[in-house]
Amino acid sequence: MRSYTLLILLLSSITSISQNCNNTLFGSVVDLHDGSNLLGAVLVIEGSEQVVVTDLDGKFKIPNLCNEKYLIQVSHAECRTIGFLVDVKGDVRKTFKLEHHLEELNQVIISGKAYRRKSETISEKTLSKEALERFSSGSLGDALNSLSGVSSLNTGNSVVKPMIHGLHSSRVVIINNGVRVEDQEWGAEHAPNIDINAIGNLTLIKGASALQYGGNAIGGLIVAEAAKVPVKDTLYGHFSSTGVSNGRGVSMTSQLTKSTQSGWFGTLQGTWKRFGDFEAPEYVLSNTGSFVRNASLQVGLNKFDYGFEAYYSIFQNKLGILRASHVGGAGDQLSALESNVPLRINDFTYDISAPKQEVTHHLARIKGFKNINNLGKLSLQYDYQRNNRLEFDIRRGSDKFDAALDLELQTHSLMLDFISPLRDEIEWKAGLMARYQNNYAANTGIRRLIPDYDKYDLGLYGIVERQLQDNWLLEAGGRFDFVHMNVFKFYRSSFWESRNYDKLFPEIVVPETKDGEFGYQILTNPKFNFYNVSATVGTTYSFGNGAKVLLNYSLASRAPNPSELFSEGLHHSASRIEIGDLRFNSEVGHKLALTFQQEGEKFRFYISPFINRINDFILIEPTEIRQTIRGNFQVWEYRQTDAELYGFDMDVMYDFSEKFCFKHQFSLVKGYDRLRDEPLISMPPANTKNEMIYQDKNFHDLRISLQSEYVFRQNEYPNNNFEVFIPQSETFREIDVSTPPDAYHLLNLNSSMTFRKHKKSFIKVELIVTNLLDKSYRNYLNRLRLYADDLGRNVLLNIKFNY
C-alpha cells in the first residue's frame, strides 16, 4: 500500500512540474494594410473568462498562460472577428492583423487607393454613382461636361470627346477599371470606348501628377472606377431604362453583383442603347442615329493579405455622321457653309448609313496583389485590348458597303507596382510598365490614313509623400519613358519630294518601290526613338476651419502619336484630309496649378488658376479645300509650335437651408501660339453654370433642379480661312471656317423621386429636360457647326429599380 501511495505522489509531482502556467503572451493589434495600431481591440481566450483590451498604442498583455495551444478571438469595431491559434511555449510575442473598415474593403476591385494612389497636391473632382445615373443614356463626355474646367470636342451629338483646360485626345489619359485605354484616341471624332453605366464613380485630375500610368497626360487624367463590393454574403443589383424624345430612343442597363463572406465576388453588367436621327429645333439631323451594346464581367477573390481579379468588357458602337457634312465640289462646299440649314435633310429614320463608323473594343485584365509583412503591398497586372475601327465613306461602286478605313489596334501591357510606408510620416510608391502595341491597317482599296506599325513602351516611376506637419504635406515624383516605333508606310513619290523628305530621311527608304493602284510609291521603314522625362512636385497646406491651399508643378512629356507623324489621306468619319509630319519632336509641358478651397458647413468655395506652357506643341488646322473623286474635302495639316494656355476654374456652393442650395461654376481658358503670336484653334469659350436645387429627403427624396448654362462667344481665334475656285462662276471665293458662332444660353431641368420598399430596394423615377426652351444654337467646339445647329429640346424619362 505504501508503494502505491509513493508512486501516485511521484507522478503528481512530475505533472505539476511539466505544467508551467507562468507564461505571458504580449504584442499588438494592427491594421493589416497600413500597420496602424488599433485602440480598443478585444482579445478573448476560448473557454476562458479572461478578456484583454488593447491600450492607446494597440498593445496587449495576457499573463498566466500554460505551455499549450490557445485559440484567441480578436475583435475590433468595423473589423471582422478573427480566431488565431497560438502555440505558447514560454513568453510569446504576437502581432495580430485585422482588416479595418471592413465594409469598404475593396483591394482587388478598383476603389480609390486600391489601384491608384491619390495625389494630395492637385485638384481632383469626383462624380458619384448617383450623379452618373443622370447621364445613363449619354456618354462619358456628357458626364464630365458637368464639371468645371471640362468641355468637349463634339462631332454632332453622339461623339463627345472630353477636353480638360483646352487639351484633348492623346493629351488626356483615360483609365478604365485600372487599365489605360488605348482606342485610337488621336482622332478628334473618336469618342472614348467606355460604358458610363459600368462606372461606380468618375474622377477628374486636372494635371499630369498621376505618374503611375504615364507621363504624357499633359491635359489631365480621367479615372473611371467600378463600384465598391462589400465583403459579405449578399446579392444585389439594379435595372434602369431611359426613354429619350430627341432621337426617339431607349437606353437600358442592368447590373448584378454577388459577394461572399469568404472574399469571392462577381459582377455582370450590360447596356443596350438605340437612337434614331436626332433633331435640331427646326429640322432633322439626318443620319445621326446610334446603336450601342456593351457588356462586362468581373470575378475575383479578396482576402486580407492577398487577392486577384479577372475582368473583361466588350464595347460596340455604331453611329452615323451628319449626311450634310459630306458634300460634292467647291461650290457645294461654299453653299453648305453659307446656308442656315443643312443641304441634306431627310425624314426621321433609325437607319444608319454612310458616312458612319463602327467600333468594337475588347478589354481584358487580370490583377493580383500581396501584402508583404513589414514591407508593403506588391501588385502585378496584365491587360490586353483590341480595338477595331471601321469608317464608311459614301461609295457608289460595287464596294459601296465596304469600309473605307479598317484599323485594328492590339495592346498588351504589364504593370508592377509597390507601395510602402517608410515611416509614419513618409510613404513611397514605385513601379515598372512595359507595353507592346500593334496596328494593322487593312487594305480597303483606299489609301491608308494610318500605316502598319509596332510600338514599344517602357516606363519607370517613383513617388514619395512626406507629412512635414499635421497641416503641411509635400509630394514629389518622377518618371522616365522610352518609346520605340517601327513603321512600314508607302509614300507617293510626289508627296515625298514636296515635303523634302527625300533629303531629310533618305536612310528610311526601303530599296523596293512599286507602281501600284495609287501611283508610283516609295516604301519606307521609319524607326523612331523617344526618351521622355516627367516629374511632379507639390504641397498642401491646411489653415484650419476648412481652408486649404494646394500648389503643384508638373513636367509632362508626350511623344507624337502615329497620326501626327504619318497621316496622309482622307479621314472619312472626320470628313477631311489629314496630313502629318515626320519631323516632329516630343511635346514638353510645364504646368503650374494653384487651388484654394474653403469648405464650411453651408458655404463651399474653390478657385483654381493654372498656366501651362508647352514646347513643341502639335496642333492640326485647316489649310485648303481639295477636290477628290469622292467629293470636296477640307485639308487639315499638323504642325508644331510653342503654346501657352492659362485660365481658372471656380466652384461656389451655398446651402440656404436643408432643402435649398445654389451652385455656381465658371471656367476660362486662353490659348496662344507663341511663335505666330496668335490664338490657338479650338479653344473652349468662357462658360458659366448656375443651378438652384430643391431637395426634400423626407418626401421620397424629392429633388428638383433648374440649371442655367451660358456659353460666351469665342472672340480669340486664328484666321484659317482660304480661297477656292468656283468653276460655275469662274471666280475665287473665300471659305470661312474660322468665325465662331454667337454666344448662347440654355436652361435645363432635372427632377427625381425615390419610392422605397426596403432599405436597399427602391424605384427611382427621374425626369430630365435639356435645352428646355428649344433654342437654336451652334457650339464652337462642335466640328459639325459649319453645317447644322446643335441638338434641340430633349426630354428623358429614367426609371431605375434597385434590388
Side-chain angles (χ1 to χ4, degrees):
M1 185 67 180
R2 175 180 287 181
S3 299
Y4 286 109
T5 302
L6 290 174
L7 180 59
I8 292 172
L9 290 174
L10 179 61
L11 291 174
S12 300
S13 174
I14 293 172
T15 302
S16 64
I17 292 173
S18 63
Q19 188 67 7
N20 177 18
C21 295
N22 296 321
N23 301 321
T24 299
L25 173 64
F26 58 94
S28 58
V29 181
V30 301
D31 187 306
L32 171 66
H33 299 292
D34 60 16
S36 60
N37 299 320
L38 297 182
L39 163 68
V42 179
L43 296 89
V44 179
I45 300 177
E46 189 177 60
S48 170
E49 296 181 356
Q50 188 174 7
V51 178
V52 176
V53 180
T54 57
D55 60 18
L56 293 174
D57 296 322
K59 296 181 179 179
F60 67 87
K61 182 178 180 180
I62 306 177
N64 304 322
L65 299 179
C66 302
N67 287 334
E68 60 181 80
K69 294 182 179 180
Y70 292 90
L71 181 61
I72 300 176
Q73 290 187 339
V74 185
S75 61
H76 186 267
E78 299 181 355
C79 297
R80 181 195 302 160
T81 299
I82 300 294
F84 296 91
L85 186 63
V86 180
D87 188 4
V88 175
K89 293 180 180 179
D91 292 340
V92 179
R93 176 186 293 275
K94 287 290 184 181
T95 299
F96 298 123
K97 298 180 179 181
L98 298 182
E99 175 63 59
H100 199 212
H101 303 298
L102 180 64
E103 292 302 316
E104 297 182 5
L105 174 63
N106 204 5
Q107 284 294 328
V108 180
I109 299 177
I110 310 170
S111 61
K113 292 186 179 179
Y115 80 95
R116 174 182 68 90
R117 183 185 173 281
K118 180 181 182 295
S119 173
E120 301 291 345
T121 66
I122 197 166
S123 174
E124 294 191 8
K125 297 292 184 182
T126 299
L127 284 173
S128 65
K129 182 66 175 178
E130 182 180 8
L132 290 171
E133 287 173 355
R134 301 185 190 118
F135 303 94
S136 176
S137 63
S139 67
L140 180 75
D142 293 323
L144 287 166
N145 259 335
S146 65
L147 298 174
S148 62
V150 182
S151 47
S152 60
L153 195 64
N154 289 27
T155 303
N157 180 68
S158 300
V159 181
V160 184
K161 199 170 186 68
M163 176 183 286
I164 304 175
H165 287 166
L167 301 175
H168 58 87
S169 300
S170 298
R171 300 181 186 94
V172 174
V173 173
I174 300 177
I175 307 299
N176 180 22
N177 218 355
V179 178
R180 174 172 174 151
V181 178
E182 299 285 347
D183 59 354
Q184 309 279 7
E185 75 280 359
W186 45 266
E189 82 303 338
H190 298 182
N193 295 310
I194 297 178
D195 181 6
I196 193 170
N197 296 291
I199 300 173
N201 61 79
L202 191 63
T203 301
L204 169 71
I205 304 174
K206 302 174 185 178
S209 64
L211 298 177
Q212 177 178 356
Y213 293 96
N216 57 351
I218 294 179
L221 188 78
I222 296 168
V223 181
E225 302 172 319
K228 297 180 181 181
V229 176
V231 182
K232 62 181 181 181
D233 292 320
T234 184
L235 176 67
Y236 61 94
H238 71 264
F239 171 82
S240 66
S241 178
T242 304
V244 181
S245 67
N246 199 329
R248 308 179 198 181
V250 175
S251 169
M252 294 184 292
T253 182
S254 183
Q255 181 171 304
L256 182 66
T257 299
K258 170 63 179 174
S259 63
T260 67
Q261 189 77 20
S262 62
W264 289 98
F265 62 88
T267 297
L268 178 65
Q269 182 271 337
T271 298
W272 186 91
K273 301 179 184 180
R274 186 73 169 94
F275 303 104
D277 291 336
F278 292 94
E279 299 178 44
E282 298 179 358
Y283 46 79
V284 174
L285 300 170
S286 297
N287 198 50
T288 57
S290 63
F291 184 29
V292 182
R293 292 152 294 167
N294 313 306
S296 65
L297 172 67
Q298 59 179 351
V299 295
L301 174 65
N302 197 0
K303 305 295 284 186
F304 286 145
D305 56 353
Y306 67 92
F308 80 93
E309 179 205 358
Y311 175 82
Y312 169 77
S313 70
I314 180 172
F315 183 99
Q316 294 180 300
N317 193 0
K318 178 181 179 181
L319 55 93
I321 305 297
L322 182 70
R323 180 62 181 85
S325 65
H326 283 237
V327 295
D332 294 333
Q333 180 80 49
L334 183 63
S335 298
L337 297 179
E338 291 181 342
S339 174
N340 292 325
V341 298
L343 296 185
R344 183 77 173 263
I345 301 176
N346 300 325
D347 293 335
F348 173 88
T349 179
Y350 288 97
D351 295 337
I352 301 174
S353 57
K356 63 179 180 179
Q357 53 181 259
E358 297 180 8
V359 180
T360 301
H361 188 82
H362 298 268
L363 185 154
R365 178 183 81 127
I366 185 167
K367 178 181 179 178
F369 77 91
K370 171 67 177 175
N371 283 304
I372 303 173
N373 290 337
N374 302 319
L375 288 178
K377 188 179 80 171
L378 183 69
S379 61
L380 179 66
Q381 173 178 305
Y382 165 78
D383 58 79
Y384 168 76
Q385 299 175 75
R386 187 178 74 186
N387 183 269
N388 181 231
R389 181 175 189 83
L390 302 174
E391 297 185 0
F392 294 83
D393 190 16
I394 300 174
R395 308 172 82 169
R396 296 176 174 83
S398 58
D399 58 355
K400 64 180 180 179
F401 297 111
D402 297 337
L405 181 69
D406 185 349
L407 299 177
E408 182 172 275
L409 182 69
Q410 298 190 66
T411 306
H412 302 262
S413 299
L414 189 66
M415 296 174 58
L416 179 67
D417 298 290
F418 185 74
I419 184 169
S420 174
L422 295 179
R423 296 199 300 270
D424 290 342
E425 70 278 7
I426 300 179
E427 181 180 271
W428 69 280
K429 183 173 185 178
L432 292 168
M433 181 278 297
R435 180 178 295 118
Y436 166 70
Q437 192 171 84
N438 171 263
N439 183 71
Y440 173 71
N443 184 9
T444 63
I446 298 175
R447 176 172 294 280
R448 300 175 186 181
L449 176 66
I450 304 294
D452 296 344
Y453 67 82
D454 292 312
K455 183 170 173 280
Y456 304 84
D457 296 83
L458 183 65
L460 170 68
Y461 78 94
I463 304 170
V464 64
E465 180 183 288
R466 172 72 183 271
Q467 191 75 44
L468 300 176
Q469 298 176 6
D470 291 342
N471 61 341
W472 189 13
L473 179 139
L474 182 66
E475 177 186 59
R479 182 180 178 102
F480 173 77
D481 285 283
F482 169 73
V483 180
H484 173 75
M485 294 184 191
N486 184 16
V487 184
F488 282 92
K489 177 177 172 58
F490 281 100
Y491 282 97
R492 290 174 290 120
S493 58
S494 57
F495 179 84
W496 179 261
E497 294 171 0
S498 68
R499 308 287 288 189
N500 208 30
Y501 288 165
D502 55 331
K503 297 181 175 60
L504 295 174
F505 304 103
E507 71 281 359
I508 70 173
V509 176
V510 177
E512 174 188 340
T513 59
K514 67 175 183 178
D515 190 8
E517 56 183 324
F518 304 114
Y520 188 75
Q521 298 177 83
I522 298 172
L523 177 62
T524 64
N525 181 207
K527 296 181 179 180
F528 292 147
N529 294 325
F530 298 95
Y531 306 89
N532 296 327
V533 175
S534 306
T536 182
V537 60
T539 185
T540 298
Y541 189 85
S542 300
F543 295 96
N545 298 321
K548 182 186 291 187
V549 170
L550 297 82
L551 179 64
N552 180 274
Y553 162 77
S554 57
L555 166 68
S557 301
R558 184 185 73 88
N561 62 47
S563 173
E564 295 163 338
L565 290 169
F566 307 111
S567 288
E568 185 216 352
L570 180 60
H571 194 175
H572 301 274
S573 65
S575 305
R576 67 190 189 192
I577 297 169
E578 297 179 359
I579 298 176
D581 199 315
L582 292 176
R583 295 165 288 193
F584 287 159
N585 303 313
S586 290
E587 289 182 343
V588 180
H590 303 267
K591 185 171 186 178
L592 186 65
L594 174 69
T595 300
F596 174 78
Q597 62 186 53
Q598 172 71 57
E599 296 185 346
E601 183 177 348
K602 290 188 174 182
F603 178 74
R604 295 171 296 282
F605 174 76
Y606 306 85
I607 185 167
S608 303
F610 72 92
I611 183 169
N612 195 359
R613 294 188 174 181
I614 307 174
N615 298 326
D616 292 324
F617 180 76
I618 301 173
L619 59 85
I620 185 170
E621 59 190 4
T623 58
E624 62 174 321
I625 291 284
R626 183 177 299 175
Q627 180 69 39
T628 73
I629 60 173
R630 303 189 180 277
N632 196 265
F633 296 95
Q634 296 180 32
V635 177
W636 287 61
E637 292 194 43
Y638 289 99
R639 68 177 177 89
Q640 203 158 34
T641 186
D642 291 338
E644 181 177 276
L645 297 93
Y646 59 84
F648 71 93
D649 307 322
M650 182 170 64
D651 294 80
V652 179
M653 286 153 281
Y654 185 77
D655 297 330
F656 293 100
S657 66
E658 291 184 357
K659 296 183 178 181
F660 284 96
C661 73
F662 171 76
K663 292 183 179 181
H664 167 77
Q665 294 179 354
F666 181 82
S667 297
L668 176 69
V669 178
K670 296 289 185 180
Y672 297 97
D673 181 339
R674 287 309 181 196
L675 295 185
R676 292 190 176 182
D677 194 24
E678 66 180 16
L680 291 174
I681 192 173
S682 298
M683 285 293 105
N687 65 90
T688 182
K689 296 177 183 177
N690 294 281
E691 185 175 14
M692 183 64 73
I693 302 172
Y694 172 82
Q695 190 162 3
D696 188 349
K697 295 183 179 179
N698 296 322
F699 185 70
H700 302 294
D701 288 335
L702 174 64
R703 183 183 187 275
I704 302 175
S705 73
L706 181 64
Q707 182 190 70
S708 167
E709 178 182 1
Y710 187 83
V711 178
F712 294 80
R713 185 179 186 272
Q714 177 58 274
N715 292 320
E716 295 187 299
Y717 56 93
N719 184 352
N720 295 120
N721 299 340
F722 41 80
E723 288 189 340
V724 295
F725 179 73
I726 308 299
Q728 294 87 341
S729 61
E730 297 185 348
T731 60
F732 285 91
R733 294 286 304 277
E734 183 181 61
I735 297 288
D736 185 358
V737 295
S738 304
T739 304
D742 294 332
Y744 59 89
H745 177 230
L746 303 178
L747 290 178
N748 305 307
L749 176 68
N750 181 288
S751 61
S752 64
M753 294 183 72
T754 302
F755 303 90
R756 296 188 179 275
K757 293 185 176 181
H758 306 287
K759 184 178 180 181
K760 298 291 185 181
S761 179
F762 60 84
I763 295 176
K764 183 176 182 179
V765 180
E766 188 170 29
L767 178 67
I768 301 172
V769 184
T770 61
N771 193 1
L772 182 65
L773 303 180
D774 203 25
K775 181 178 179 60
S776 297
Y777 71 98
R778 298 197 181 193
N779 182 354
Y780 175 62
L781 294 180
N782 191 333
R783 293 182 49 260
L784 302 183
R785 65 176 174 83
L786 300 175
Y787 306 100
D789 289 341
D790 270 271
L791 203 64
R793 182 189 297 115
N794 193 12
V795 180
L796 303 91
L797 178 62
N798 179 41
I799 300 176
K800 177 186 177 183
F801 175 53
N802 222 65
Y803 54 88

